[in-house]
Amino acid sequence: MKKEFGGPAIFLDRSDINTDEIIPAKYLTEVTKDALKPYLLEDLTLEGFDPKGESLQQARVVVTRENFGCGSSREHAPWVFEVNGIHTIIAESYARIFRQNMFNGGMLAIELPKADIDRLFALQRSGSVEISVDLEQQNVLARSSARQESIPFEISPFDKALVTAGGWVEFADARY
Amino acid sequence: MGKTIAEKIFDAHLRDEPFAGTYVLDLDRVLCHEITTPVAIADLEWRGKDRVFDNTKIKAVIDHVTPAKDSKTAMQAKILRDWAHRHELHDFFDVGRNGVCHALFPEKGYIRPGFTVIMGDSHTCTHGAFGAFAAGVGTTDLEVGILKGVCAFRKPRTIRVNLNGTLAAGVYAKDAILHVIGQIGVNGATDRILEFRGPIVEAMSMEARMTLSNMAIEAGGTSGLCLPDMTTVDYLWPFIQDDFPSRESALEEYRKWCSDDDAHYEQVLDFDLSGLEPQVTYGYKPDCVKPVEEMAGSRIDQVYIGTCTNGRIEDLRVAAAVLKGRKIADHVRGIVSPATPKIFSEALNEGIIQVFMDAGFCVTNPTCGACLGMSNGVLAEGEVCASTSNRNFSGRMGKGGMVHLMSPATAAASAVAGVIADARSL
Ligand code: SF4
């Protein structure tokens, strides 16, 4: 089933945020996705970021920099976002496995050039940002109380098909 | 135009191209461990599709936390064990016969040149040392691999890494790969395949090549391939001798996977490693790399020798040669974990285990253990570990702990000195 995309955004202003920071290995003993919920980004140290804070709890979109999700193959990383209602990540680039895991789970890992990511970060300086995603038109609309940015994005037909199908298991099961 | 080894493997395994540039490959091996597989198993059950595509091609091991340390890890092991038995997997490795996946599966002869291999583990790239396309994947890819025997990849883009010159005495594959990662960065090979070439790679043993390929992912690489040659054939010979009349004929067969001379590479990187010094990491990313002399004297609390990077017999031999007749520093905790039972027994027979024990090391059973901070040597806040593993992320071996990556020789020397030290000047 296709997921919901968009909502309030949280901004993580750093490159190379790794899977151990997203969900520490000690929680990998959990065998359900829901059990991961309280631990999202628990080990991320970043100025102004509080893993227990309200802005993370309300967030439905993450905006960040380069090579997001590098390190381990653990799908617990996308899952911990998923169970916290975050189905959309917007970054300059991703680690391959993390990116694939997002689409395999029917979620969106949108890649934008640095200039566009900079525009989103600039927008955030004028207040909290709400993002909506138009998958058909391949467009991101980001709004703060002051102004808005409309940014088109690229997505491969395969990734789009995964999102539409609800994930890779659904896609593969119907086809192979 | 010629083809790279990865392109040849893709061509030979192509099941489907649902969209231009998306390649769905048939898989020769789907490897499983108890951390990432249980959720895939649970999901298959939930979907009413608790099946496996081929119980001879799926191999499973309990390796990350073993023997189980608590009820939760016992349950993960149980889920994998019950599933393996339910589907009559031919090769499943439980307590006593289990070892670190990326050391165990090659040692059993499961990986062959030209194979496609996936596992729910990022260091699956290790198996590229055999000239296989081996990639770490997430649980959903694993799940589809188990059910359908396929996995989707983008068109392979290869960076050829030529390791030229010769490694000086006391400088190892670990130093070479740390140096390469230090140069190209943790994002330097993202979504790319690394092809390791050059006289240094040709001269390496399979163990050393596995160390090299193991860390491809630390530069973001999907897989790290070495071309099959006589070293590959010699290693595999006990497993393939019934398939080929001679080693030469096996080599001829495997050579067909080698990259063509006129193959296209996205990038070709040349490294002359003749003057390379032993390398050590300093920060929380594997590309924070310095020569050992710049790190010498740094405080450590623990030394960890083992893992899928450097827990093989050659690694233990190197470390034992440094430790022989010496004691580790009083304030240092030394932990060694031979990566498989076979390696453990070899080390026992060669007297290596005794050397470690005489030096003051704790010898653990084969397991990932402290490498990912789950058992057998987790660090306390503020503690520092000199480790032969592959990942130094903040908190990797325990919240608030720090990890310095290095070769087994450097780790052993550091255990003796009580601070980071160069084995050549001990
Ligand atoms: S030894 Fe460490 S890096 Fe290797 S598979 Fe185990 S946890 Fe992963």
Side-chain angles (χ1 to χ4, degrees), chain B residues 181-192:
Chain B
I181 295 165
Q183 295 294 308
I184 69 175
V186 292
N187 201 9
T190 299
D191 213 353
R192 306 295 192 278

Side-chain angles (χ1 to χ4, degrees), chain A residues 84-100:
Chain A
N84 279 283
I86 297 174
H87 301 161
T88 311
I89 297 183
I90 303 176
E92 267 173 63
S93 63
Y94 299 89
R96 186 198 78 84
I97 304 174
F98 179 85
R99 186 188 160 287
Q100 193 63 48

Side-chain angles (χ1 to χ4, degrees), chain A residues 60-118:
Chain A
R60 296 293 170 265
V61 178
V62 168
V63 181
T64 184
R65 299 287 183 180
E66 279 184 292
N67 199 27
F68 188 73
C70 61
S72 147
S73 64
R74 66 189 66 150
E75 203 157 319
H76 307 69
W79 291 335
V80 73
F81 284 116
E82 183 183 0
V83 295
N84 279 283
I86 297 174
H87 301 161
T88 311
I89 297 183
I90 303 176
E92 267 173 63
S93 63
Y94 299 89
R96 186 198 78 84
I97 304 174
F98 179 85
R99 186 188 160 287
Q100 193 63 48
N101 285 343
M102 287 287 291
F103 286 108
N104 280 349
M107 295 195 280
L108 267 179
I110 296 174
E111 213 167 277
L112 291 178
K114 180 170 185 329
D116 288 336
I117 295 287
D118 285 343

